[in-house]
Amino acid sequence: MATYTPADRPTLYFIGVTTNSSSIMKVFPAWADLLRLGDVTIKGIDFPPGAPAEAYRAAVAFIKQDPFSLGALVTTHKIDLFNACSDLFDHVDPLAALLGETSCLAKHGGKLHCYAKDPISSGLTLEGFLPERAFEQPREVLILGAGGACIAISWYLMHSSRGNNRPARLIVSDRSEKRLAELTALHQLFDPDFHVSYHLVQSATESDALINALASGSVIINATGMGKDLPGSPISDAAHFPEHAIVWELNYRGELTFLHQARSQQQAQQLQLEDGWNYFIHGWTQVIAEVFELPADAVTNKAFSALSDCAARVSGQEKA
């Protein structure tokens, strides 16, 4: 079991898999200057996917009791950490309780709060690249992977506040029958009448078949983690993307095999390709705003553009 050293200054933790490889380790100090956060730092805590509950509990208990440990952003482990540590949270926000996951821990008034920020950050990202009123003309959405990112994205897309600007159908696949069952139960809470189909897949060939059956203009999202936390891609090179599809790779670093597969068909199929850069920026800035108690406009609109530009310069991710 890992041991944790008390922080000597205000500290934000990054609970992930390969945190030292993330651009945030270079970006956060630059953002701290831009946002005038003072003498603060960031530290990574790495766990393999599906780590023991005791490992999550030790990390969360440390953050809760350590005076200078202010909070954490959680990737990959959002669901498992929530399930393992729910009794350690002093407050759980309604979205975290509904979704059964947490992407943000923050201490306010000495109390440990648990938040689900992904529905917000995924929604901001989607609205940044989808056509205006994208779903008023029927479009299907295929989400590969039924984990925390899928839960957040589907909650946003299914929400009744969107009126008739919702997908004609959601299609979700995963290699875990348990995750699909959990997602099905959540979708019943979101909207029991919404059309969702669930597919247990055990091979890239089965995922290929789902893509091959999609209509023109569909939205296809890689939410499996493959290409970053896990090697490879959920599909094979034989998958045929539909014309005018919008393809969103949630990762912005790593092998990005899925994105490269889509790029090989971009011109022929007139695909719109999106990587995970803006999702990365929104995800982090929403958590930073919560942990350091910043106003919303400190990380949105013009401020978001400045933060993204700053991150790109520092990390070498500037787009040509």
Side-chain angles (χ1 to χ4, degrees):
M1 189 70 66
T3 57
Y4 297 97
T5 303
D8 60 1
R9 51 183 162 155
T11 300
L12 172 66
Y13 292 88
F14 176 15
I15 299 176
V17 178
T18 55
T19 57
N20 284 336
S21 300
S22 174
S23 297
I24 196 63
M25 295 308 187
K26 296 178 181 177
V27 170
F28 180 79
W31 279 353
D33 289 341
L34 190 62
L35 295 168
R36 299 180 181 178
L37 299 182
D39 184 21
V40 300
T41 191
I42 186 170
K43 291 183 179 179
I45 300 175
D46 288 345
F47 298 118
E54 294 78 11
Y56 296 130
R57 291 182 63 82
V60 172
F62 165 74
I63 292 169
K64 182 174 182 177
Q65 61 82 30
D66 184 60
F68 279 126
S69 296
L70 302 188
L73 179 140
V74 184
T75 61
T76 305
H77 312 285
K78 300 178 185 79
I79 297 172
D80 290 339
L81 186 144
F82 181 88
N83 289 336
C85 303
S86 58
D87 62 306
L88 297 176
F89 306 137
D90 297 307
H91 173 79
V92 178
D93 90 316
L95 264 181
L98 173 64
L99 303 185
E101 63 154 68
T102 178
S103 56
C104 174
L105 305 178
K107 281 158 63 174
H108 299 314
K111 302 294 185 181
L112 184 62
H113 293 237
C114 158
Y115 300 92
K117 294 293 185 181
D118 272 9
I120 299 168
S121 56
S122 61
L124 289 168
T125 307
L126 282 164
E127 296 310 321
F129 66 73
L130 286 174
E132 189 174 358
R133 311 299 297 177
F135 298 105
E136 288 189 346
Q137 294 184 347
R139 288 179 192 262
E140 295 180 331
V141 176
L142 168 61
I143 306 177
L144 303 166
C150 173
I151 292 170
I153 292 166
S154 59
W155 177 87
Y156 181 80
L157 291 174
M158 292 170 65
H159 202 277
S160 60
S161 65
R162 297 180 61 82
N164 63 351
N165 188 26
R166 300 194 294 174
R169 178 172 66 129
L170 282 181
I171 306 156
V172 181
S173 68
D174 201 275
R175 298 188 177 208
S176 167
E177 190 170 7
K178 180 174 179 287
R179 285 215 162 164
L180 287 172
E182 291 169 347
L183 183 67
T184 302
L186 280 172
H187 283 169
Q188 288 298 301
L189 297 176
F190 298 172
D191 184 344
D193 298 321
F194 198 91
H195 188 188
V196 186
S197 63
Y198 306 92
H199 300 266
L200 182 66
V201 298
Q202 299 298 340
S203 69
T205 302
E206 292 174 291
S207 298
D208 293 351
L210 295 176
I211 288 181
N212 296 346
L214 291 171
S216 175
S218 294
V219 179
I220 305 164
I221 303 170
N222 177 25
T224 64
M226 295 184 74
K228 180 176 77 74
D229 296 331
L230 300 167
S233 168
I235 64 172
S236 79
D237 291 342
H240 185 71
F241 288 88
E243 288 185 338
H244 307 293
I246 300 172
V247 182
W248 184 18
E249 164 62 81
L250 294 193
N251 302 322
Y252 77 94
R253 64 180 176 92
E255 297 175 347
L256 301 179
T257 307
F258 176 83
L259 187 64
H260 296 316
Q261 289 168 320
R263 185 166 289 133
S264 71
Q265 300 180 37
Q266 182 175 12
Q267 185 172 358
Q269 298 300 97
Q270 299 180 63
L271 306 178
Q272 176 183 335
L273 304 186
E274 304 291 338
D275 65 16
W277 179 254
N278 283 346
Y279 190 44
F280 163 73
I281 303 295
H282 279 302
W284 271 102
T285 55
Q286 288 295 312
V287 170
I288 288 169
E290 187 64 57
V291 170
F292 293 97
E293 302 183 85
L294 304 177
D297 61 4
V299 297
T300 55
N301 302 322
K302 289 183 178 179
F304 174 83
S305 296
L307 289 162
S308 180
D309 290 345
C310 172
R313 287 194 303 272
V314 170
S315 66
Q317 293 283 334
E318 290 156 304
K319 304 295 175 74

